[in-house]
Amino acid sequence: MPATKEEEKMTVSESLKKLKSNKNYINGVIAQAFYVGAQILCWTFMYQYVDNINHSFGLHITATNYNIGAMILFLIGRWIGTALMKTINPSKMLIIFGIGGIICALGTIVLQGIPGLISLISISIFMSIMFPTIYGIALKGMGDEAKIGSSVLVMAIVGGALMPLLQASILDWGGPGFSDLKILGYIPEVNFSFILPLLCLAVVANYGRMTLKD
């Protein structure tokens, strides 16, 4: 919003100086980048995950249908999370939903076939409240520096551009296929690649822990 004459203006350099010294904010930007990375990884590499299921089990399921299902679960999770936050601390919500996402990501890795796919789309329920919750926690208690701070938090979506390169590199470990290499003797590389979203969600859960106040 345009500043009025009565408002005390803060320069960009002054805003950045305050933001750099705000540990809660810096950690929030990092958590936001990892959250967006997790979201893009889960929704993008679902197609390779389904292709591998079709190839391994002789099925003919359509990845797009499950991706739509993930979006619907995301919406439902947002409704549920918003209702719960009326009585539950936002930082505690990040911890709970972060742990829920980690468990689902673990299921995506170790389970084979449809059970693993159900685990994958279920991650969306737990990712649903993360972006606005991290945003609000990171900006809490700020003054005029929030104008610049909010912009940087939005730009943290760059995490969604960088993370897919790492997951794609895991898919190439064994060759052009998605299960050329079996981790621990039975986990296809495409399944194992979802260790990245798991780690991203762990960063988000840890941010909730760091910001939790009794």
Side-chain angles (χ1 to χ4, degrees):
M1 296 295 291
T4 63
K5 293 181 180 180
E6 290 75 20
E7 287 181 327
E8 183 179 344
K9 296 182 180 179
M10 183 180 292
T11 65
V12 173
S13 60
E14 289 173 336
S15 295
L16 291 175
K17 186 176 181 180
K18 289 197 70 173
L19 291 171
K20 284 168 61 177
S21 63
N22 188 332
K23 186 176 180 181
N24 173 64
Y25 173 75
I26 296 298
N27 290 332
V29 172
I30 294 170
Q32 197 74 290
F34 277 94
Y35 154 68
V36 177
Q39 184 189 82
I40 298 302
L41 295 178
C42 290
W43 289 356
T44 299
F45 289 92
M46 184 182 297
Y47 292 90
Q48 288 81 358
Y49 196 92
V50 170
D51 282 348
N52 184 60
I53 291 175
N54 285 335
H55 177 75
S56 301
F57 295 90
L59 302 176
H60 300 282
I61 59 178
T62 302
T64 301
N65 294 337
Y66 285 88
N67 211 329
I68 293 171
M71 305 288 180
I72 294 172
L73 291 177
F74 188 88
L75 179 61
I76 294 172
R78 178 68 65 87
W79 288 339
I80 294 172
T82 301
L84 289 175
M85 255 189 284
K86 293 179 180 179
T87 56
I88 300 177
N89 182 288
S91 294
K92 189 175 290 186
M93 285 289 292
L94 272 186
I95 297 172
I96 295 171
F97 274 54
I99 292 173
I102 290 169
I103 293 171
C104 289
L106 186 60
T108 303
I109 295 169
V110 301
L111 299 177
Q112 307 295 311
I114 298 300
L117 181 56
I118 292 173
S119 296
L120 175 53
I121 66 172
S122 297
I123 297 174
S124 293
I125 297 174
F126 300 102
M127 293 191 296
S128 61
I129 56 98
M130 290 182 177
F131 189 98
T133 306
I134 294 170
Y135 189 93
I137 294 173
L139 294 179
K140 187 175 181 180
M142 283 193 186
D144 204 43
E145 72 270 25
K147 295 177 182 178
I148 299 295
S150 60
S151 300
V152 177
L153 275 168
V154 172
M155 288 190 290
I157 62 174
V158 71
L162 301 177
M163 293 291 180
L165 299 174
L166 296 175
Q167 187 157 357
S169 68
I170 295 176
L171 295 183
D172 291 335
W173 278 358
F178 300 136
S179 59
D180 302 304
L181 180 67
K182 298 292 179 66
I183 313 300
L184 300 178
Y186 78 100
I187 300 175
E189 60 201 283
V190 65
N191 287 45
F192 184 76
S193 70
F194 283 89
I195 190 73
L196 291 178
L198 186 153
L199 294 174
C200 290
L201 294 170
V203 171
V204 174
N206 187 54
Y207 180 63
R209 182 193 63 80
M210 290 189 296
T211 57
L212 183 64
K213 296 181 175 62
D214 295 331

